[in-house]
Amino acid sequence: MNAVLSPVAALGRAVQNVLGLIGEVFIFALSALSHLLRPPFYWRRIGRSVMEIGYFSLPVVALTTLFTGMVLALQAYTGFSRFNAQSAIASIVVLSVTRELGPVLAGLMVAGRAGAAIAAEMGTMRVTDQIDALSTLSTNPMKYLVTPRLIAGVIALPLLVAVGDILGVMGGYLVATLKLGFNGTDYLHNTFQYLRTDDVVSGLIKASVFGFIIALMGCYHGFKSKGGAQGVGAATTSAVVSASVLILGLDYLLTQVFFSS
Amino acid sequence: MSTAAKISVRGLNKAFGDKKVLDGIDLDVMPGTAMVVIGGSGTGKSVLIKCILGLIEADSGSILIDGEDVLKATPARARALRSQIGMLFQNGALFDSLPVWENVAFGLLAQNKISRRDARAKAGEFLAQVGLAASVGELSPAELSGGMQKRVALARAIAGAPQIMFFDEPTTGLDPIMGAVIDGLIVDCVKRLGSTSIAITHDMASAQRIGDVAAMLYEGRIVWTGPAASLLDSDNEVVSQFTHGRREGPIQMALRR
Ligand SMILES: Nc1ncnc2c1ncn2[C@@H]1O[C@H](COP(=O)(O)OP(=O)(O)O)[C@@H](O)[C@H]1O
Ligand SMILES: [Mg+2]
């Protein structure tokens, strides 16, 4: 009977573990958010984190979105020239970038860069007792380390994506005019012809959510890390993987919420 | 308890999983005395002071600071009682993202006791008290040697003028001379502030330099307390084996588990 039940039991345990983990992350996030309205406020820390997450990720996000815009234009051209629908290319580029690829690719890139850095820094602070030291110096570690990073993630990602949107369109424009021989004015006209505010705003909202998730995963895994250098390494990996998976999953859910009606 | 102890620990238990680390600790530290806690590596000395500091949650027992049980007090009250404790961590635990001066002034800045502008000068004063030049304040902790890091950590711990001070293996990892220097600074600082202190060590020379009284932690309990000066000629077998570093005796080192 045990042999029959053991896979079921294993499944049960796995589900239990996952649920426990989700609960723990949820409580962690709530506890960090509970500091939003209670002083002291660490403005300086928020500013620093915005620089860390946003400004220093600018090159990699810029590169990613620029090339994405270029490739999209090329792909759309090879696909649609068969149907003589060249005017659609500009729309395809701008809608794909603003609604979908800008936030998702920026999110994944920042998860790999800033999310990993947050987890590594926080994990090192944990295993070298720096987090404990904060408590002994009248400072709440959640409030000092986690809350500012969550705020910074929510602010920095939309800013990055806004820049990425522009660069993505620019990439498409460059390929369309320089390589495919389109007229530049027509291309820009086609770009904005069907673009609605919602398309851009929904992408920026997605970006905010992803920024929150990246900072949350970095902080959570860093905070809970133990066992020296190896533990910090494991925390970093978990932070990047969990943030990436959550970004992809939430992207689907958010897209459904925004555009299903 | 005749006169009221500054810190009084009763029946303190802490287990990690099924591994019992603290198994009914009883310990009293009288106001103004320097207690040293000795014991082998991994016997739970750090866990003990982390429980008092509230960094690790004790399973049961009581911890009285100024006669009030911090384990039963409201979170805010417990925080207030513990805020009078200054702590020197085993490896310094300096914030490596901040310059030295900001490390030293961290507690004062956190409590809004001084402005950022005054903090630099104030940090210089505390650095001078541990024998460091004010210019060290501009460096980052990673640029300092181990002995200097310990000094900076000590400066950070005394900056809040704590009534209680904990030192976790203050001389471990330092050469004997630097160890003696740090011990001297600790004694000076504790005396100047008139604090009550608990120091953890397994260095007998250090224990006798900084301690008035000593306690031996063994198998999760305090098995002996007495004057620090009598450590080397205690007739308790456990203490005697430990302080003289003998291989034969009641303490059997767990070579494998
Ligand atoms: N957070 C923790 N989780 C699990 N085990 C721990 C934790 N902290 C300490 N321990 C265990 O408790 C025991 C005592 O540790 P510690 O107090 O650091 O020893 P020491 O006396 O050398 O300071 C060790 O065996 C250690 O593995
Ligand atoms: Mg220790």
Side-chain angles (χ1 to χ4, degrees):
Chain A
M1 187 187 107
N2 270 343
V4 180
L5 278 182
S6 69
V8 180
L11 185 70
R13 263 195 306 278
V15 170
Q16 209 170 20
N17 285 344
V18 168
L19 289 181
L21 184 68
I22 292 174
E24 215 176 287
V25 172
F26 206 73
I27 290 168
F28 184 84
L30 282 185
S31 140
L33 293 177
S34 75
H35 291 289
L36 276 180
L37 301 174
R38 278 183 284 156
F41 304 110
Y42 297 110
W43 302 112
R44 171 184 293 278
R45 305 283 306 172
I46 299 175
R48 210 184 101 143
S49 298
V50 169
M51 291 296 277
E52 259 169 25
I53 299 173
Y55 186 71
F56 295 121
S57 301
L58 208 47
V60 58
V61 169
L63 211 64
T64 311
T65 46
L66 184 72
F67 276 103
T68 303
M70 289 167 64
V71 147
L72 274 175
L74 213 54
Q75 287 278 20
Y77 179 75
T78 51
F80 284 85
S81 60
R82 279 178 256 165
F83 307 105
N84 265 337
Q86 293 182 1
S87 63
I89 292 173
S91 285
I92 290 171
V93 171
V94 73
L95 290 182
S96 319
V97 168
T98 55
R99 285 166 65 148
E100 198 54 49
L101 294 174
V104 170
L105 291 178
L108 293 176
M109 286 297 165
V110 175
R113 216 198 131 276
I118 291 173
E121 185 179 347
M122 214 83 105
T124 306
M125 290 187 76
R126 167 61 75 197
V127 300
T128 58
D129 286 339
Q130 290 179 54
I131 293 183
D132 282 347
L134 281 174
S135 310
T136 66
L137 294 165
S138 319
T139 302
N140 185 311
M142 277 300 231
K143 193 184 202 72
Y144 184 78
L145 295 173
V146 181
T147 312
R149 284 181 166 89
L150 294 182
I151 298 173
V154 170
I155 297 173
L157 255 266
L159 295 177
L160 275 176
V161 167
V163 175
D165 285 350
I166 295 168
L167 284 166
V169 169
M170 211 171 87
Y173 176 87
L174 288 177
V175 167
T177 54
L178 298 180
K179 185 165 164 58
L180 307 176
F182 288 16
N183 176 297
T185 324
D186 287 351
Y187 184 89
L188 286 181
H189 175 75
N190 288 333
T191 295
F192 294 109
Q193 194 175 15
Y194 298 111
L195 183 69
R196 288 173 307 148
T197 323
D198 286 0
D199 299 323
V200 179
V201 170
S202 69
L204 296 182
I205 293 176
K206 278 182 179 177
S208 267
V209 175
F210 298 165
F212 182 82
I213 291 296
I214 292 166
L216 180 64
M217 289 299 115
C219 291
Y220 174 78
H221 290 286
F223 230 72
K224 303 277 163 178
S225 65
K226 48 179 165 251
Q230 196 186 8
V232 176
T236 308
T237 308
S238 307
V240 175
V241 171
S242 57
S244 304
V245 170
L246 283 171
I247 285 174
L248 295 172
L250 281 173
D251 180 53
Y252 181 84
L253 284 180
L254 289 172
T255 305
Q256 194 160 43
V257 170
F258 290 143
F259 298 110
S260 64
S261 52
Chain B
M1 254 194 295
S2 44
T3 50
K6 184 76 180 168
I7 302 171
S8 176
V9 177
R10 283 289 171 275
L12 190 68
N13 291 308
K14 178 67 196 176
F16 292 104
D18 49 12
K19 182 170 162 196
K20 260 198 165 146
V21 177
L22 304 182
D23 187 13
I25 296 273
D26 293 323
L27 188 70
D28 284 318
V29 189
M30 291 298 150
T33 53
M35 160 79 75
V36 287
V37 175
I38 60 171
S41 303
T43 49
K45 305 183 298 296
S46 297
V47 170
L48 170 62
I49 53 175
K50 283 183 176 173
C51 283
I52 302 177
L53 280 165
L55 300 173
I56 291 179
E57 209 176 319
D59 295 336
S60 61
S62 65
I63 299 171
L64 275 58
I65 299 178
D66 290 332
E68 260 184 83
D69 191 344
V70 283
L71 300 181
K72 296 210 177 67
T74 62
R77 183 65 194 146
R79 231 178 295 132
L81 286 167
R82 282 168 170 146
S83 70
Q84 51 176 322
I85 308 177
M87 167 79 184
L88 178 63
F89 284 87
Q90 191 162 343
N91 291 306
L94 295 174
F95 305 125
D96 43 28
S97 61
L98 301 177
V100 165
W101 72 265
E102 219 174 325
N103 265 283
V104 173
F106 196 93
L108 297 176
L109 286 169
Q111 294 175 306
N112 286 319
K113 283 189 179 157
I114 46 171
S115 67
R116 283 185 70 81
R117 195 174 317 160
D118 300 336
R120 242 173 237 257
K122 201 77 189 159
E125 288 173 27
F126 290 114
L127 287 172
Q129 288 183 21
V130 295
L132 292 174
S135 59
V136 172
E138 302 305 316
L139 301 176
S140 117
E143 296 174 84
L144 307 177
S145 68
M148 280 166 98
Q149 288 188 358
K150 276 276 162 66
R151 290 190 197 211
V152 173
L154 181 60
R156 181 175 73 180
I158 60 170
Q163 290 185 38
I164 302 172
M165 301 199 57
F166 291 167
F167 307 98
D168 194 350
E169 303 199 11
T171 58
T172 301
L174 301 178
D175 67 71
I177 299 175
M178 184 55 80
V181 169
I182 297 285
D183 284 340
L185 288 170
I186 286 176
V187 172
D188 287 350
C189 292
V190 169
K191 217 172 264 161
R192 190 173 331 114
L193 293 169
S195 318
T196 307
S197 67
I198 299 180
I200 289 172
T201 187
H202 39 222
D203 172 353
M204 286 313 119
S206 177
Q208 296 194 314
R209 278 193 294 259
I210 56 184
D212 302 325
V213 284
M216 167 103 199
L217 180 59
Y218 176 62
E219 291 188 330
R221 291 165 181 274
I222 300 291
V223 294
W224 177 87
T225 47
S230 73
L231 267 176
L232 286 173
D233 36 51
S234 159
D235 47 17
N236 181 301
E237 280 181 41
V238 176
V239 177
S240 160
Q241 186 197 347
F242 186 78
T243 55
H244 293 99
R246 281 195 293 268
R247 273 191 293 169
E248 284 79 33
I251 308 176
Q252 291 300 317
M253 281 289 159
L255 293 180
R256 47 181 101 215
R257 350 181 157 198

